[in-house]
């Protein structure tokens, strides 16, 4: 293998040559303390930067096995190292010429700790995947700058970021233990018959709509009402107290601006673990919690929305409902049925993003518009059946209508950002002021139909390219010649998840679509492959920019493909 000095002299010789000559540095180099691998060399200074890896043996990196002894600890450590590399690379890298010249970057991360492909850790080594903008002036290679980046800066970053001796050991321990505790907490919900837990002292509000870090000033920390307080034992933290939300139907009420949506948002993200200092470290929900909202304009393919919607005008089928432009209510119905199709056991809804006519239909409206003329059966009349027939719980923010008092098992009022248990009071009121509605939901929730996608309807190709994918932030992925709009899928938190989902669609088509499998069967198979072989199973070459996703977000992408067709 060539070494660091060889690489330096190659780069110095390339100085002044045309950019294409950078291709010569492709390959592996022995840097003494680690190996540098150049997997892909960019074609010009504006193209996607070059893909590099370092492999640092544990004899040098020195991470104690206790920090990665189980799967969840390993994920937490890898996440910590990704953040560390990100920070040091940002400090060290500088503008070194045209376009992306000088860039050294690793996948950027938010508040969630997810399995990501950027850093791998095992007993032998730590592997880090990152991007480098090889420097140039115009299209002429800046060889000396290149040598400084690869032969000085990178060893410097590795020494500071991928070296246990140089890192904050307390902070690493805290991250690993916190994430392990959160994972355990989530697993313990079931045995206590809870669907969510919010620890006392948790900080729920965020700095802004675009800054997910915790709010700093005038924050009211969370404090459970006594009647809902539960105590759980965590392996590292020990006893923890907080509010347990029991399974069943839970209503979150309260005046406007009193913290209802902030609580729900924390619960939505409680399916993920958070970094220490986030404030929501010990806010967890069961893993299958899915946020449901209205999403008018979305396409829907062959979904049986008949539990909610029947007898549409023009005799349109609702047992096999398709549209290219869903309404508020049909899109919300489809979102629920699709979540159930892939196994959600907890729906989260907020009046702020729900279709009113999907949520409620009061006595007066029942009188004016007869049941025969209203295709929608409101969620109010189905939410109990959903729990009784399928064991699916609901947490619902509803400050504007008391009709849900009749069906709620638990009612939590937010008052100045503090929760209060008002269940008894709400039940009393429900008895005193009877709604006089007639129930419209029938006896059962209704059947769920599993769909089988047609392989030819999923096509990642564009022009001569067999696979063409491009991800824009966390909202949109261009897949072949169409754009999948995922802006309303609020539990996608990381661009890496979207990249992985796009790759997973390609992978699913290649491996599992031909055999007439249902959508949940296909997703099970893909996720089992990722769990056993890692995210690398999705791509031809190792990528550093993928993050793990849940089955629900994968299904969401499937379902929003406008080209999707299913077996009739
Ligand atoms: P609601 O849904 O009840 O109308 P929101 O959850 O949207 O209220 O909260 C309103 C505002 O209060 C938001 O700006 C939010 O960041 C802030 N907020 C929420 N919870 C807290 C808290 N515990 N401490 C301080 N501010 C909070
Ligand atoms: Mg709100």
């Amino acid at each position: 293998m060539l070494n660091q000095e060889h690489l330096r002299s190659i780069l110095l010789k390339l100085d002044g040559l045309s950019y294409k000559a950078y291709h010569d540095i492709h390959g592996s180099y022995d840097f003494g303390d680690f190996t540098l691998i150049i997997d892909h060399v960019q074609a010009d200074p504006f193209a996607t930067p070059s893909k590099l890896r370092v492999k640092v043996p544990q004899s040098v990196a020195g991470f104690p096995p206790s920090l990665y002894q189980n799967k969840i600890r390993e994920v937490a450590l890898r996440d910590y190292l990704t953040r560390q590399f990100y920070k040091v690379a940002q400090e060290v890298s500088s503008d070194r010429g045209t376009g992306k010249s000088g860039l050294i970057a690793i996948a950027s991360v938010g508040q969630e700790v997810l399995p990501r492909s950027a850093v791998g850790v095992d007993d032998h080594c730590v592997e880090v995947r990152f991007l480098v903008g090889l420097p140039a002036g115009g299209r002429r290679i800046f060889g000396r700058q290149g040598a400084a980046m690869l032969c000085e800066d990178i060893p410097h970053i590795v020494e500071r970021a991928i070296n246990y001796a140089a890192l904050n050991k307390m902070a690493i321990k805290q991250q690993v233990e916190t994430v392990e505790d959160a994972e355990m907490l989530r697993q313990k919900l079931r045995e206590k018959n809870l669907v969510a837990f919010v620890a006392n002292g948790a900080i729920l509000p965020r700095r802004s709509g675009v800054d997910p870090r915790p709010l700093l000033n005038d924050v009211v920390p969370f404090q459970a009402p006594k009647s809902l307080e539960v105590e759980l034992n965590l392996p590292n933290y020990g006893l923890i107290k907080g509010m347990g939300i029991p399974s069943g139907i839970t209503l979150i009420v309260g005046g406007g601006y009193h913290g209802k949506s902030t609580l729900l948002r924390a619960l939505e993200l409680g399916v993920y673990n958070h970094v220490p200092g986030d404030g929501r470290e010990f806010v967890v929900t069961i893993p299958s919690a899915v946020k449901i909202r209205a999403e008018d304009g979305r396409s829907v393919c062959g979904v049986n929305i008949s539990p909610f919607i029947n007898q549409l005008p023009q005799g349109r089928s609702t047992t096999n409902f398709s549209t290219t432009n869903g309404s508020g209510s049909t899109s919300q119905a489809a979102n629920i049925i699709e979540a159930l199709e892939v196994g959600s056991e907890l729906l989260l809804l907020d009046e702020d993003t729900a279709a009113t006519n999907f949520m409620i239909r009061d006595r007066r409206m029942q009188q004016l518009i007869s049941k025969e003329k209203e295709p929608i059966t409101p969620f109010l009349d189905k939410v109990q059946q959903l729990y009784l027939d399928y064991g699916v719980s609901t947490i619902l923010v509803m400050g504007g209508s008391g009709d849900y008092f009749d069906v709620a098992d638990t009612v939590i009022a937010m008052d100045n950002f503090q929760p209060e248990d008002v269940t008894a009071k709400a039940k009393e009121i429900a008895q005193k002021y009877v709604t006089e509605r007639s129930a419209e939901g029938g006896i059962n929730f209704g059947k769920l139909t599993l769909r089988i996608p047609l392989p030819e309807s999923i096509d990642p190709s564009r022009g001569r390219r067999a696979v063409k994918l491009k991800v824009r932030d966390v909202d949109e992925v261009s897949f072949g010649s169409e754009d999948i709009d995922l802006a309303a899928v609020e539990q996608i938190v990381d661009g890496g998840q979207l990249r992985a989902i796009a790759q997973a669609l390609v992978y699913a088509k290649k491996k599992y679509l031909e055999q007439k499998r249902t959508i949940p069967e296909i997703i099970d198979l893909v996720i089992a492959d990722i769990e056993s072989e890692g995210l690398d199973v999705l791509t031809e070459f190792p990528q550093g920019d993928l993050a793990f996703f849940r089955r629900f977000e994968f299904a969401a992408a499937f379902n929003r493909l406008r080209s999707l067709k299913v077996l009739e």
Side-chain angles (χ1 to χ4, degrees):
M1 198 194 298
L2 297 178
N3 65 28
Q4 184 176 4
E5 289 319 309
H6 291 124
L7 178 61
R8 190 194 305 277
S9 66
I10 297 171
L11 284 163
L12 293 178
K13 273 190 214 135
L14 293 177
D15 191 58
L17 298 184
S18 107
Y19 205 86
K20 289 269 183 284
Y22 260 135
H23 198 74
D24 291 357
I25 66 172
H26 197 273
S28 299
Y29 301 89
D30 180 0
F31 270 50
D33 278 350
F34 62 88
T35 308
L36 176 75
I37 302 149
I38 303 171
D39 283 315
H40 165 81
V41 178
Q42 66 204 98
D44 66 69
F46 297 96
T48 310
S50 303
K51 292 185 178 145
L52 279 70
R53 276 182 288 156
V54 291
K55 281 190 177 188
V56 190
Q58 283 289 17
S59 57
V60 175
F63 290 94
S66 64
L67 293 175
Y68 57 90
Q69 72 194 4
N70 59 40
K71 222 177 151 190
I72 189 66
R73 282 183 166 238
E74 183 199 312
V75 167
L77 176 63
R78 287 162 55 196
D79 175 274
Y80 188 89
L81 297 179
T82 307
R83 289 167 199 274
Q84 203 60 36
F85 193 98
Y86 181 90
K87 221 167 74 190
V88 180
Q90 265 207 328
E91 277 168 38
V92 168
S93 68
S94 58
D95 185 351
R96 290 179 184 271
T98 306
K100 294 175 182 141
S101 292
L103 175 90
I104 304 177
I106 193 163
S108 72
V109 298
Q111 297 296 105
E112 288 76 23
V113 177
L114 302 172
R116 292 194 194 81
S117 62
V119 173
V121 175
D122 64 19
D123 284 335
H124 304 288
C125 76
V126 178
E127 176 173 320
V128 184
R129 299 166 181 179
F130 55 101
L131 299 175
V132 168
L134 294 169
R139 297 195 187 267
R140 298 265 156 234
I141 291 176
F142 278 168
R144 227 162 320 163
Q145 301 267 10
M149 282 182 81
L150 299 191
C151 301
E152 317 293 336
D153 292 354
I154 286 173
H156 185 58
I157 296 169
V158 169
E159 200 185 298
R160 285 177 56 196
I162 311 299
N163 174 8
Y164 186 58
L167 294 172
N168 180 341
K169 296 180 184 60
M170 281 311 293
I172 300 181
K173 184 167 180 278
Q174 196 194 6
Q175 162 126 344
V176 167
E177 292 187 346
T178 302
V179 171
E180 186 175 47
D181 278 345
E183 189 77 10
M184 288 304 292
L185 187 56
R186 193 173 296 104
Q187 282 173 23
K188 282 176 189 246
L189 293 175
R190 275 261 169 273
E191 58 192 66
K192 298 260 178 194
N193 197 30
L194 301 174
V195 290
F197 176 88
V198 184
N200 291 343
I203 304 298
L204 307 186
R206 301 292 103 188
R207 252 171 243 187
S208 80
V210 291
D211 184 348
R213 291 174 301 167
L215 188 68
L216 290 177
N217 301 318
D218 301 322
V219 182
V220 180
F222 192 87
Q223 180 64 44
K226 275 284 163 265
S227 54
L228 292 174
E229 190 164 72
V230 294
E231 194 173 58
L232 290 150
N233 200 5
L234 303 180
N236 306 300
Y237 185 93
L239 280 184
I240 188 166
K241 283 187 189 179
M243 181 175 82
I245 299 183
S247 63
I249 297 146
T250 302
L251 210 56
I252 300 172
V253 301
Y257 219 72
H258 277 258
K260 302 183 298 297
S261 296
T262 303
L263 171 58
L264 194 80
R265 180 67 182 150
L267 296 175
E268 287 166 30
L269 298 180
V271 299
Y272 300 120
N273 298 321
H274 290 90
V275 288
D278 173 80
R280 300 167 299 183
E281 294 90 320
F282 300 130
V283 179
V284 296
T285 48
I286 57 170
S288 67
V290 175
K291 173 67 183 293
I292 299 294
R293 54 172 290 168
E295 192 184 344
D296 51 315
R298 70 158 281 199
S299 70
V300 175
C301 177
V303 177
N304 178 1
I305 57 170
S306 66
F308 294 112
I309 299 178
N310 274 296
Q311 292 164 315
L312 285 175
Q314 304 174 326
R316 270 180 87 155
S317 164
T318 59
T319 53
N320 179 4
F321 178 75
S322 298
T323 179
T324 56
N325 187 9
S327 65
S329 56
T330 55
S331 63
Q332 192 169 346
N335 284 344
I336 291 177
I337 301 292
E338 288 167 350
L340 300 176
E341 183 179 27
V342 285
S344 173
E345 291 171 300
L346 174 62
L347 306 180
L348 304 171
L349 288 84
D350 190 330
E351 61 185 350
D352 291 351
T353 50
T356 305
N357 61 344
F358 183 80
M359 301 306 294
I360 50 178
R361 189 165 128 79
D362 66 11
R363 167 88 169 152
R364 287 179 172 174
M365 199 52 81
Q366 286 182 330
Q367 293 301 310
L368 186 64
I369 308 293
S370 70
K371 170 97 181 90
E372 292 66 50
K373 296 220 165 98
E374 172 55 270
I376 305 169
T377 304
F379 191 63
L380 176 60
D381 287 322
K382 303 304 283 185
V383 65
Q384 280 183 312
Q385 297 168 351
L386 202 49
Y387 186 57
L388 294 174
D389 296 356
Y390 293 112
V392 176
S393 297
T394 296
I395 300 175
L396 171 63
V397 169
M398 180 64 88
S401 165
D403 283 6
Y404 276 86
F405 292 176
D406 290 318
V407 296
D409 300 304
T410 308
V411 185
I412 298 165
M414 293 304 287
D415 182 7
N416 284 300
F417 311 128
Q418 283 301 1
E420 235 179 278
D421 181 357
V422 295
T423 312
K425 210 162 151 192
K427 289 292 175 193
E428 223 172 87
I429 291 168
Q431 286 197 339
K432 194 162 159 199
Y433 303 99
V434 179
T435 66
E436 296 186 336
R437 290 183 73 249
S438 26
E440 298 181 336
I443 296 164
N444 293 310
F445 181 79
K447 244 183 71 189
L448 298 175
T449 319
L450 305 183
R451 295 165 301 154
I452 296 171
L454 300 180
E456 62 273 21
S457 70
I458 295 165
D459 181 8
S461 74
R462 178 147 100 205
R464 278 173 299 142
R465 311 227 352 218
V467 176
K468 176 84 181 139
L469 307 174
K470 190 171 170 68
V471 167
R472 276 180 282 288
D473 197 26
V474 297
D475 285 349
E476 196 176 79
V477 47
S478 109
F479 185 84
S481 51
E482 77 167 287
D483 290 330
I484 313 176
D485 181 356
L486 291 156
V489 183
E490 295 170 4
Q491 287 166 298
I492 294 178
V493 291
D494 190 311
Q497 290 180 310
L498 214 48
R499 277 187 285 275
I501 287 170
Q503 296 285 358
L505 281 171
V506 178
Y507 179 84
K509 158 140 185 171
K510 204 159 58 190
K511 268 193 96 166
Y512 297 125
L513 244 64
E514 292 298 339
Q515 295 84 352
K516 295 213 168 110
R517 293 187 170 100
T518 63
I519 289 178
E521 282 169 348
I522 293 164
I523 294 179
D524 279 342
L525 287 162
V526 173
I527 290 195
D529 287 354
I530 297 173
E531 270 167 0
S532 67
E533 294 169 58
L535 286 161
D536 284 354
V537 75
L538 299 177
T539 53
E540 222 170 312
F541 304 103
Q543 309 265 339
D545 58 357
L546 305 181
F548 191 71
F549 52 83
R550 299 187 310 156
R551 57 195 290 110
F552 306 99
E553 284 69 44
F554 185 20
F558 238 108
N559 288 320
R560 282 163 186 73
L561 264 171
R562 287 185 177 269
S563 59
L564 182 68
K565 294 266 178 305
V566 299
L567 206 63
E568 299 263 320

